[in-house]
């Protein structure tokens, strides 16, 4: 688990290497090390934790079993912010950069973390699979901006696709099929019928 300690100097351009991981238990075997991140990821962990706690406090009901992935939510909000302007972009910036760290950790450092979490090319079984895509209604635009798509892919490891939300059932099926394919059939229906 990522530490929640705050630390200055998190670089958005750096990618973790073996020297970035510190063993909490020196006697732990190499096969099952107990690790903690170096301080450069700690501020980002704090921001993601703040986001997750905020979402849970707003959505979880007493006695419910609620799960939130702040990493996924921050990625989605980053994609939306990428296409926003004016007051909407400012509001999204506040959501992405608020919390205990108060230092643009989510918007500035998330792309570096996403790059660090990408499986190496040719890796057979990655422990982490992320499927990020923004689905834009055809009534908004006929084509996703090439600049937006390029930045989304480079910065957020995602792309943008234009679909017709005016025909919701085929679009729902298209989205569900894409998610199922991206997650190795682990998530078969992210959008239930009628959504």
């Amino acid at each position: 688990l990522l530490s929640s300690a705050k630390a200055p100097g998190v670089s958005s351009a750096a990618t973790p290497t073996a020297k970035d991981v510190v063993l909490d238990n020196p006697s732990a075997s190499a096969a099952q090390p107990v690790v903690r991140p170096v301080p450069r990821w700690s501020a980002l962990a704090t921001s993601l934790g703040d986001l997750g706690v905020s979402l849970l406090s707003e959505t979880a009901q007493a006695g419910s079993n609620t799960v939130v992935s702040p990493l996924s939510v921050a990625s989605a909000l980053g994609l939306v912010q990428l296409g926003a302007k004016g007051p909407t972009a400012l509001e999204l910036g506040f959501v992405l950069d608020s919390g205990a760290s108060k230092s643009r950790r989510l918007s500035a450092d998330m792309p570096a973390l996403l790059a660090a979490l990408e499986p190496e090319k040719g890796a057979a079984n990655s422990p982490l699979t992320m499927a990020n895509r923004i689905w834009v209604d055809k009534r908004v635009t006929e084509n996703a901006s090439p600049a937006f798509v390029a930045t989304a892919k480079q910065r957020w490891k995602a792309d943008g696709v234009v679909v017709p939300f005016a025909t919701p059932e085929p679009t729902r099926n298209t989205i569900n099929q894409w998610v199922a394919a991206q997650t190795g059939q682990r998530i078969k229906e992210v959008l239930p019928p009628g959504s």
Side-chain angles (χ1 to χ4, degrees):
L1 294 175
L2 294 174
S3 165
S4 62
K6 294 192 332 185
V10 176
S11 168
S12 63
T15 307
T17 63
K19 69 180 182 191
D20 294 328
V21 177
V22 179
L23 292 178
D24 271 342
N25 179 357
S27 64
S29 72
Q32 293 186 347
V34 178
V35 297
R36 64 179 168 80
V38 293
R40 75 193 237 202
W41 295 111
S42 295
L44 179 57
T46 298
S47 293
L48 286 170
D50 290 346
L51 178 61
V53 168
S54 294
L55 289 169
L56 282 174
S57 68
E58 292 293 321
T59 60
Q61 298 175 2
S64 69
N65 185 9
T66 304
V67 176
V68 172
S69 168
L71 182 68
S72 295
V73 172
S75 296
L77 289 174
L79 278 167
V80 172
Q81 185 187 33
L82 182 62
K85 292 181 180 174
T88 303
L90 291 173
E91 285 290 326
L92 286 165
F94 175 75
V95 170
L96 287 169
D97 297 321
S98 63
S101 65
K102 303 222 186 283
S103 57
R104 303 189 57 79
R105 293 293 175 219
L106 290 175
S107 64
D109 295 337
M110 272 290 294
L113 178 61
L114 293 174
L117 293 174
E118 268 191 303
E120 292 184 26
K121 292 192 191 272
N125 288 325
S126 172
L128 175 69
T129 301
M130 291 192 66
N132 292 329
R133 175 175 274 179
I134 191 162
W135 303 86
V136 181
D137 190 356
K138 219 173 195 159
R139 291 172 290 191
V140 175
T141 183
E142 282 296 314
N143 298 304
S145 156
F148 172 85
V149 172
T151 304
K153 189 171 290 273
Q154 184 271 327
R155 187 169 172 80
W156 296 102
K157 311 300 177 219
D159 61 358
V161 174
V162 177
V163 291
F165 281 108
T167 54
E169 196 58 21
T171 298
R172 182 186 76 83
N173 288 330
T174 296
I175 294 170
N176 283 338
Q177 289 169 5
W178 180 83
V179 170
Q182 297 301 307
T183 62
Q185 304 299 317
R186 288 182 182 94
I187 300 173
K188 294 182 181 180
E189 189 174 72
V190 71
L191 297 174
S195 62

